[in-house]
Amino acid sequence: MRMTAAYRQADLRSLALHAAVAEKLDSALVEKAAARVRGWCTEGRRYAAAWSRLLSAPLPDLRAALVRDDDEMQALRSASPFAGALTPAERWAVIRATSRSPA
């Protein structure tokens, strides 16, 4: 499937937000995300099993996965368990940086 420019822009923003999460990722953030995913599993939510597997990986592997630019991670980032991992200031800095039009 061919991505529209707007969809690709949103995907690049999500990738950048997850790169910021990856930079500050620690066991506490992973546990918060894992707790959220455990709730998703009981609700039968899409991507819960895949996130559960990723969150049980070693931190370096999880960091690498968060910034992979492939179809699987594009889909998983659309339902991220990392809501609240970035401060509002961190989030807005990423949004501003990814909203700039290419020169």
Side-chain angles (χ1 to χ4, degrees):
M1 177 175 95
R2 188 177 162 120
M3 246 188 247
T4 66
Y7 182 85
R8 183 60 180 157
Q9 179 67 24
D11 181 60
L12 290 173
R13 178 172 293 140
S14 179
L15 179 62
L17 287 164
H18 282 80
V21 169
E23 287 180 18
K24 65 186 290 184
L25 198 62
D26 62 14
S27 59
L29 277 178
V30 172
E31 181 47 41
K32 284 182 183 180
R36 181 170 286 135
V37 169
R38 284 191 294 275
W40 292 356
C41 288
T42 63
E43 298 167 4
R45 301 234 341 241
R46 188 174 187 184
Y47 304 128
W51 272 115
S52 184
R53 283 189 301 276
L54 275 175
L55 292 169
S56 65
L59 282 178
D61 295 345
L62 178 55
R63 283 187 186 103
L66 290 178
V67 298
R68 266 192 355 242
D69 192 15
D70 60 22
D71 290 344
E72 177 189 23
M73 286 310 301
Q74 286 172 354
L76 290 178
R77 283 190 295 268
S78 73
S80 176
F82 289 103
L86 300 176
T87 66
E90 291 167 331
R91 182 173 168 72
W92 278 109
V94 171
I95 290 170
R96 279 191 300 276
T98 57
S99 295
R100 295 186 186 122
S101 298

